[in-house]
Amino acid sequence: MRNRLQILFLLFILAILCFYVSMQLSPNFMKWMRICVSLSAIFIAIFIFFENRDPSRTLAWLVVLVVFPVIGFFFYLFFGQSYRKKRRYHQNFFSNMNLHYAQTRSDIQSNVDGNFKNAHYEKVLRLSSKLSPASAFIYTESRILTNGEETFASILNALEQAKHHIHLAYYIVRNDRLGNELKEILIRKAKERVRIRFLYDAVGSMKLNRGYVRELQENGVHILPFSPIRLFDLGSPNYRNHRKIIVVDGQIGFVGGLNIGDEYLGRVKHFGFWRDTHVMLDGLAIRNLQMIFLQDWIFTSKEPLLDETIYFQTEKRKTDGLIQVIAGGPDTKQKEIKHIFLSMISSARKSIYIASPYFIPDEDVYSALKIAALGGVDVKILFPFYPDKKFVFYASRSYFSELLQAGVRIFQYTRGFMHSKFIIVDGKIASIGTANMDMRSFHLNFEINVFLYFSSSVHHLEEVFMDDLVESTELTLSELEKRTLKERILESFCRLFSPLL
């Protein structure tokens, strides 16, 4: 990776030198400028070609280079590099954690045989078990949280009860009213000798000021940025930790779409009511949540955990179906979350309900949804009426026409901004977490999702989805065809970059 970047820089510098020399030797300025710009684009194009990427991503980068030759060069350096799969973890930690996994994974066969009677959906669990080392657990309770007030009331209450440790990982943390309320609790618990580890994404939380971080550090909270941007690590801006994780004492956990900020409580006028979904876990499945957090923490901090077993003393709770916590990211060979989504979609007999604020599926998921709808499955997609990112919004809308023609029904949430991320199949299995139905979540970001199999939370989530539809307007094909020429052009233009979004 480093050698390849050095070669790219040398080639670019060579092109600049040629440009400078040509200016000195020839008055034909524009001619030589075009030559140098073309050389830069060709150098990058050759590298992209030999990376053997997905064809759509290759073509998208080539479009960027053709349209923006010079800017595209730097854009590729920062956002186009393949992730360096060199995450180094503490070896003692992983050797011991392998023992934990060996023990917990031995439960999966009995879990399936004793609690998963429906062979039709069993293939989803079998696939997820092969793609991820995370076991599917019984003895775990789950609770769906459907807005910021309910979610943060539960989170702050759980933090207040902490006795041993608090682990947090967030994509966005803001220094606002909610952020300061969280900070005060963490400082108070740190003074009570509760061990606190706080991981925030360096890009998602780039507006978080140093004073906020310094105050936490000075009061005993261990807080670190995930993958800060460095000059010689040019791929880092594009591969972000989009996970939202809280683990309290290894017993209570939270995962979902809500970051730390006042907008998630509906306090920001621009967004208004913020519709989001989180899930609270209590029981054995917390072990997987804990493991995922500690992997990220050790990668970032290089901190050796001298007695890691104390973080996995999770107690059994009342059985409520099977629950599996799975992480996805660019550092793995398999696209775990995407492949499980595909398996869920292909297993559907009656219904597929999807909520996602950003809908940019790759060709596999796009085709699977159309095939399901054409086959008579009730496919409904919940999408925001009011966008927060217009470029992504128009790219998403470019997919709607073919979906509607195939029989997919699309609903746009109008009460406020819809940020939920979940999928429900046949009212039997569901996934809720941080992954959007888009290529960034599938291929670029570090994500985490909770998969629910025959849990009462699946039924609750389905009820929540139906309630959301009441607050939405259905987008019909005839209405979509009334959009202006300007909107069509914007959609088509943004669609070109969809593999990069």
Side-chain angles (χ1 to χ4, degrees):
M1 169 74 174
R2 181 67 61 85
N3 291 335
R4 190 154 59 90
L5 282 176
Q6 290 174 347
I7 292 171
L8 286 173
F9 271 122
L10 287 173
L11 290 173
F12 186 72
I13 290 171
L14 179 61
I16 295 298
L17 287 174
C18 291
F19 172 62
Y20 176 76
V21 171
S22 68
M23 287 180 62
Q24 304 300 317
L25 300 178
S26 173
N28 197 348
F29 175 81
M30 293 304 299
K31 174 184 174 182
W32 283 103
M33 185 174 74
R34 285 195 297 268
I35 291 174
C36 292
V37 167
S38 299
L39 282 174
S40 300
I42 290 170
F43 292 151
I44 292 285
I46 291 171
F47 274 90
I48 295 173
F49 179 79
F50 283 105
E51 280 184 334
N52 291 322
R53 297 174 178 232
D54 177 84
S56 63
R57 290 179 59 78
T58 299
L59 289 173
W61 277 115
L62 292 177
V63 167
V64 171
L65 291 171
V66 170
V67 178
F68 311 107
V70 176
I71 297 175
F73 180 93
F74 290 103
F75 197 74
Y76 173 78
L77 289 181
F78 280 96
F79 299 104
Q81 299 291 306
S82 297
Y83 186 75
R84 295 181 305 162
K85 299 178 182 179
K86 298 180 180 178
R87 288 167 61 113
R88 300 296 189 225
Y89 302 107
H90 194 276
Q91 293 303 315
N92 291 335
F93 174 81
F94 272 92
S95 62
N96 289 333
M97 287 309 95
N98 287 335
L99 295 177
H100 283 286
Y101 267 141
Q103 180 180 1
T104 56
R105 282 182 64 81
S106 65
D107 296 336
I108 194 167
Q109 185 63 47
S110 60
N111 288 349
V112 171
D113 294 341
N115 299 276
F116 213 77
K117 301 295 186 182
N118 195 313
H120 180 71
Y121 304 104
E122 185 179 321
K123 69 175 184 179
V124 180
L125 180 58
R126 297 292 183 186
L127 174 67
S128 65
S129 300
K130 288 184 179 295
L131 292 176
S132 170
S135 298
F137 285 96
I138 55 175
Y139 304 123
T140 303
E141 294 180 342
S142 59
R143 177 186 166 198
I144 302 299
L145 306 170
T146 59
N147 56 59
E149 289 186 4
E150 183 181 19
T151 298
F152 289 113
S154 300
I155 286 175
L156 297 180
N157 179 65
L159 296 179
E160 292 282 12
Q161 307 305 314
K163 303 296 182 185
H164 181 265
H165 67 272
I166 296 172
H167 291 160
L168 308 94
Y170 274 92
Y171 178 63
I172 295 174
V173 180
R174 301 202 189 281
N175 184 16
D176 53 18
R177 191 174 7 155
L178 177 62
N180 280 281
E181 188 174 355
L182 173 69
K183 179 179 67 176
E184 291 172 5
I185 292 176
L186 295 181
I187 290 174
R188 185 163 65 252
K189 300 309 291 187
K191 291 179 178 178
E192 296 174 10
R193 298 191 176 182
V194 174
R195 176 78 174 185
I196 301 174
R197 297 179 176 90
F198 194 167
L199 196 63
Y200 64 93
D201 187 81
V203 172
S205 301
M206 65 171 54
K207 294 182 180 179
L208 186 65
N209 62 52
R210 282 295 305 164
Y212 185 98
V213 175
R214 189 183 306 111
E215 187 175 356
L216 285 169
Q217 291 173 334
E218 290 173 350
N219 285 278
V221 175
H222 298 261
I223 179 170
L224 293 172
F226 179 89
S227 191
I229 300 174
R230 297 185 175 92
L231 179 61
F232 296 106
D233 191 8
L234 296 180
S236 61
N238 204 31
Y239 300 97
R240 307 315 314 166
N241 194 330
H242 194 238
R243 296 166 184 162
K244 294 94 177 168
I245 298 173
I246 289 182
V247 180
V248 178
D249 292 342
Q251 304 296 329
I252 302 294
F254 297 87
V255 178
L258 290 142
N259 289 290
I260 304 298
D262 282 348
E263 66 263 41
Y264 302 95
L265 282 164
R267 294 173 179 168
V268 176
K269 185 178 180 180
H270 173 71
F271 293 108
F273 177 75
W274 188 281
R275 171 69 188 91
D276 218 325
T277 311
H278 235 66
V279 61
M280 175 179 172
L281 301 176
D282 182 1
L284 295 189
I286 297 298
R287 294 180 186 179
N288 288 340
L289 194 60
Q290 186 81 286
M291 181 67 175
I292 292 163
F293 172 85
L294 290 174
Q295 285 178 345
D296 288 342
W297 179 261
I298 293 172
F299 167 66
T300 302
S301 69
K302 310 300 185 291
E303 172 190 346
L305 301 184
L306 301 179
D307 185 12
E308 63 277 355
T309 58
I310 61 177
Y311 298 106
F312 294 87
Q313 305 299 317
T314 312
E315 298 178 1
K316 294 182 178 180
R317 295 292 184 245
K318 181 180 67 176
T319 297
D320 184 20
L322 293 177
I323 296 178
Q324 192 172 26
V325 182
I326 292 183
D331 58 338
T332 60
K333 293 181 179 179
Q334 302 290 346
K335 303 304 177 187
E336 293 87 348
I337 293 175
K338 172 200 160 179
H339 289 156
I340 300 172
F341 281 0
L342 275 172
S343 182
M344 293 173 68
I345 292 168
S346 65
S347 70
R349 289 177 170 177
K350 297 180 180 179
S351 62
I352 301 169
Y353 301 149
I354 295 172
S356 180
Y358 316 115
F359 185 83
I360 305 179
D362 64 9
E363 192 60 37
D364 295 334
V365 174
Y366 192 43
S367 296
L369 289 172
K370 288 188 289 185
I371 290 169
L374 288 168
V377 176
D378 177 23
V379 182
K380 291 186 175 75
I381 296 174
L382 183 65
F383 185 75
F385 183 84
Y386 305 104
D388 67 330
K389 298 177 176 66
K390 288 191 176 181
F391 197 95
V392 180
F393 178 79
Y394 283 114
S396 297
R397 283 175 62 93
S398 71
Y399 292 87
F400 288 172
S401 181
E402 287 189 36
L403 289 172
L404 290 169
Q405 290 175 27
V408 175
R409 299 177 67 187
I410 298 173
F411 296 82
Q412 295 181 292
Y413 189 80
T414 57
R415 183 182 174 188
F417 181 65
M418 199 287 299
H419 195 250
S420 295
K421 313 159 195 300
F422 59 78
I423 176 172
I424 312 164
V425 170
D426 294 344
K428 304 294 184 182
I429 56 178
S431 175
I432 176 175
T434 67
N436 295 296
M437 192 64 70
D438 66 2
M439 297 188 202
R440 172 159 290 278
S441 289
F442 293 158
H443 303 287
L444 299 176
N445 285 342
F446 293 91
E447 306 282 3
I448 183 168
N449 271 45
V450 176
F451 291 85
L452 307 166
Y453 307 88
F454 288 90
S455 165
S456 60
S457 289
V458 177
H459 302 297
H460 184 192
L461 197 59
E462 193 170 44
E463 292 173 356
V464 168
F465 183 83
M466 293 303 174
D467 290 341
D468 288 338
L469 296 187
V470 176
E471 304 284 354
S472 307
T473 59
E474 184 169 3
L475 178 65
T476 64
L477 185 59
S478 59
E479 181 182 348
L480 184 66
E481 290 176 345
K482 294 178 182 177
R483 63 197 189 281
T484 65
L485 178 61
K486 177 183 176 181
E487 290 176 317
R488 292 171 187 265
I489 293 173
L490 278 171
E491 290 172 7
S492 297
F493 178 76
C494 295
R495 173 74 170 264
L496 292 174
F497 300 90
S498 59
L500 313 179
L501 298 178

